[in-house]
Amino acid sequence: MTSIEKTTAQLFKKQFKHTIKTYVILAILFDCIALLILLNSHAESPSILILLLFPWILLSYLYRNKESEARSHFWRKFAKDHVWKYHATRDLSSENGQMLSRGTDSLIQNYVSGKINDRPVRIFEYEIIIKEQDNDSYTHPYTVFAFKFAGKFPEIFLNYRDDNYSMGFPNKLPVPLEFEKDFHLFAPQKYEIEALAIFTPDIFHYLLEQQWVCDVELSGQELIIFSPGFIENSLELE
């Protein structure tokens, strides 16, 4: 089993194995000295906190860089093993789905494409970045699976639970009362019948039995599944 966490640790250890212990010791000494100096100078507590956390923030940044490298390695290997194509990033402007236009600085990375049983399939990591009124930004990661079909779908979106950043689609349709807290269904008025014919009570029952946690969008020729979080190991793809 290929694990991104394990690969990240290996890459981090490989690059910093001769310096990490020294860095940690120096960081602790830095914190002790900085704390004594700042307490004697009566600096405000936020300044003290930022200064004390700086060495550890830097260490976390370095580790995150290795995690990004490990994710790239994971998807490159997946593409090579399955004779698929790999791209580190993809321009969002080439996407048609409404869910893929959410947020302000959203991005696609680790994009792979190929075929499963002659059906074109795309898999990629997608981050929705939402800026709130207080100017704080919130990042919501997804692993996206897009399956291409013949013909063309109406624009239909099934939202699991109520995550505000994926809401805002026009024309919300009624679903049976027992499913209202779990699912929100959207479709243009002229396709209401088709949407309700696809997402029937039996389908909702099945999704709940399978502990479904994904959003689903039908857009153009694709069925697009938005799975919360990023894939962490090869078993999750089976």
Side-chain angles (χ1 to χ4, degrees):
M1 178 185 70
T2 303
S3 167
I4 290 176
E5 182 179 2
K6 184 177 179 180
T7 304
T8 301
Q10 290 172 342
L11 291 172
F12 188 81
K13 183 178 180 180
K14 180 179 179 180
Q15 181 166 351
F16 300 107
K17 65 178 179 179
H18 298 301
T19 58
I20 187 63
K21 290 183 180 180
T22 302
Y23 181 91
V24 171
I25 293 172
L26 291 175
I28 294 173
L29 289 174
F30 174 86
D31 280 356
C32 291
I33 296 171
L35 184 59
L36 289 173
I37 294 174
L38 291 171
L39 288 176
N40 290 330
S41 65
H42 305 290
E44 296 182 358
S45 56
S47 300
I48 296 174
L49 183 60
I50 293 172
L51 191 59
L52 293 177
L53 289 178
F54 175 76
W56 311 106
I57 294 173
L58 177 59
L59 188 63
S60 175
Y61 171 78
L62 294 173
Y63 189 85
R64 291 299 179 188
N65 276 347
K66 290 304 167 185
E67 181 182 22
S68 178
E69 187 178 332
R71 290 195 175 281
S72 176
H73 179 272
F74 174 88
W75 287 109
R76 285 179 185 275
K77 184 177 185 302
F78 176 88
K80 182 179 179 181
D81 291 346
H82 294 80
V83 198
W84 285 21
K85 294 180 180 179
Y86 171 86
H87 297 280
T89 60
R90 180 175 168 86
D91 188 355
L92 269 170
S93 64
S94 61
E95 299 293 336
N96 297 318
Q98 292 194 47
M99 183 69 166
L100 293 170
S101 64
R102 304 283 101 178
T104 53
D105 298 301
S106 303
L107 58 92
I108 290 175
Q109 56 192 3
N110 293 319
Y111 177 98
V112 297
S113 60
K115 289 187 177 182
I116 298 178
N117 296 328
D118 292 327
R119 185 177 302 285
V121 178
R122 305 184 297 142
I123 306 174
F124 52 89
E125 295 177 339
Y126 174 54
E127 288 185 328
I128 301 177
I129 303 174
I130 303 294
K131 289 185 178 179
E132 302 290 352
Q133 292 181 347
D134 56 6
N135 291 325
D136 288 337
S137 296
Y138 301 91
T139 301
H140 307 278
Y142 286 93
T143 302
V144 179
F145 302 84
F147 304 87
K148 189 174 182 179
F149 292 82
K152 187 176 181 180
F153 291 118
E155 193 71 34
I156 299 174
F157 180 67
L158 179 68
N159 173 236
Y160 176 74
R161 297 293 169 90
D162 186 3
D163 43 24
N164 293 329
Y165 53 86
S166 64
M167 300 291 280
F169 287 81
N171 199 36
K172 182 178 180 181
L173 305 183
V175 298
L177 183 62
E178 60 186 301
F179 304 114
E180 281 187 344
K181 68 181 181 67
D182 295 305
F183 298 107
H184 303 269
L185 183 61
F186 301 84
Q189 289 185 348
K190 61 181 179 179
Y191 293 116
E192 289 182 1
I193 295 176
E194 288 83 352
L196 294 173
I198 294 171
F199 294 104
T200 64
D202 287 341
I203 293 295
F204 289 139
H205 271 299
Y206 175 78
L207 293 178
L208 289 178
E209 288 175 356
Q210 298 298 313
Q211 299 181 332
W212 186 262
V213 295
C214 304
D215 293 339
V216 179
E217 183 171 2
L218 300 176
S219 178
Q221 291 183 287
E222 289 188 313
L223 166 65
I224 310 172
I225 299 173
F226 296 84
S227 178
F230 290 154
I231 295 294
E232 295 299 331
N233 57 69
S234 55
L235 286 179
E236 296 181 36
L237 287 170
E238 295 181 357

